[in-house]
Amino acid sequence: MLKLPKSFLFSGNGGGVLQGTTYEAILCTFTAARDRTSNRIGRENIGKLVVYGLDQTHFRAVAMTVDPIAPLCAVAKEYGVWVHIDAVYVGSACICPEFKHFIDGVEDVDSFSFNAHKWFFTTLYCCCLWVKYPSTLVKALSTSLEYLRNKATESKQVIDYKDWQNSPQSSISEP
Ligand SMILES: *Cc1c(COP(=O)(O)O)cnc(C)c1O
């Protein structure tokens, strides 16, 4: 299996969750990144936030052919930028030792996802998302509706994955 650094695993600080699609994974991580940044710079500055993507994406483009994760993360760290790696295809390829170098430096990103429903040929939909600090994601997406509360979650005996995904009740639509 794809070998991620310990910091991404439950045995380290991190954790993983299955999302439906990459778009859902990115929406969830954007929400966490937005909240983390707006907590730092103030909610009144939320309109100043910018999303950078590679030149194959629809946002502000940074031209490159191979994604140099380590140098990107070094710059991002300086500015407190959340780095998400959309490794839709290459994540599956990286189970092969000869391709693993494509994700060199991945220990410095905030989140990473790949689609098992592409080169792993699982049925639709299956996007594997890892986050380095699940608390940021959970804080952004958790719901506290009375009827969803339960002892197992509150005592932290179980991981409540409803708080790791977008749901109609989550705070995702709030400014
Ligand atoms: C296929 C693909 C997506 C979309 O994935 P979904 O799981 O269908 O949302 C996103 N990014 C890249 C690079 C892709 O190849």
Side-chain angles (χ1 to χ4, degrees):
M1 239 351 241
L2 179 67
K3 200 161 170 3
L4 284 166
K6 196 168 180 193
S7 57
F8 273 86
L9 307 179
F10 285 107
S11 54
N13 302 319
V17 62
L18 292 180
Q19 301 280 346
T21 64
T22 292
Y23 290 109
E24 290 172 72
I26 289 177
L27 180 63
C28 291
T29 52
F30 271 18
T31 307
R34 179 204 64 188
D35 286 3
R36 184 178 80 177
T37 308
S38 65
N39 286 342
R40 184 165 48 83
I41 64 170
R43 285 184 94 81
E44 67 280 10
N45 291 315
I46 205 163
K48 294 181 184 164
L49 299 182
V50 176
V51 173
Y52 289 90
L54 302 185
D55 49 5
Q56 296 93 358
T57 58
H58 304 292
F59 304 102
R60 187 173 294 185
V62 178
M64 54 184 61
T65 52
V66 178
D67 319 344
I69 296 175
L72 270 176
C73 287
V75 175
K77 194 173 179 185
E78 204 180 319
Y79 294 94
V81 173
W82 181 292
V83 178
H84 175 82
I85 301 290
D86 172 4
V88 162
Y89 284 99
V90 84
S92 310
C94 289
I95 62 166
C96 304
E98 64 270 33
F99 296 131
K100 193 165 175 293
H101 66 276
F102 284 122
I103 56 166
D104 281 352
V106 73
E107 61 276 8
D108 291 329
V109 308
D110 295 285
S111 51
F112 177 95
S113 63
F114 79 95
N115 278 359
H117 66 249
K118 287 191 173 165
W119 280 348
F120 278 169
F121 303 114
T122 64
T123 49
L124 290 170
Y125 288 100
C126 185
C127 173
C128 308
L129 169 68
W130 279 269
V131 286
K132 195 175 205 170
Y133 301 110
S135 60
T136 316
L137 191 71
V138 169
K139 223 166 121 189
L141 301 176
S142 70
T143 50
S144 55
L145 297 175
E146 192 57 38
Y147 65 88
L148 293 174
R149 295 180 64 181
N150 62 82
K151 282 190 187 133
T153 300
E154 281 168 17
S155 65
K156 301 203 184 319
Q157 281 180 303
V158 298
I159 294 165
D160 203 334
Y161 285 111
K162 77 168 175 46
D163 294 333
W164 292 56
Q165 296 172 319
N166 180 24
S167 75
Q169 293 89 19
S170 77
S171 63
I172 207 156
S173 59
E174 293 173 15

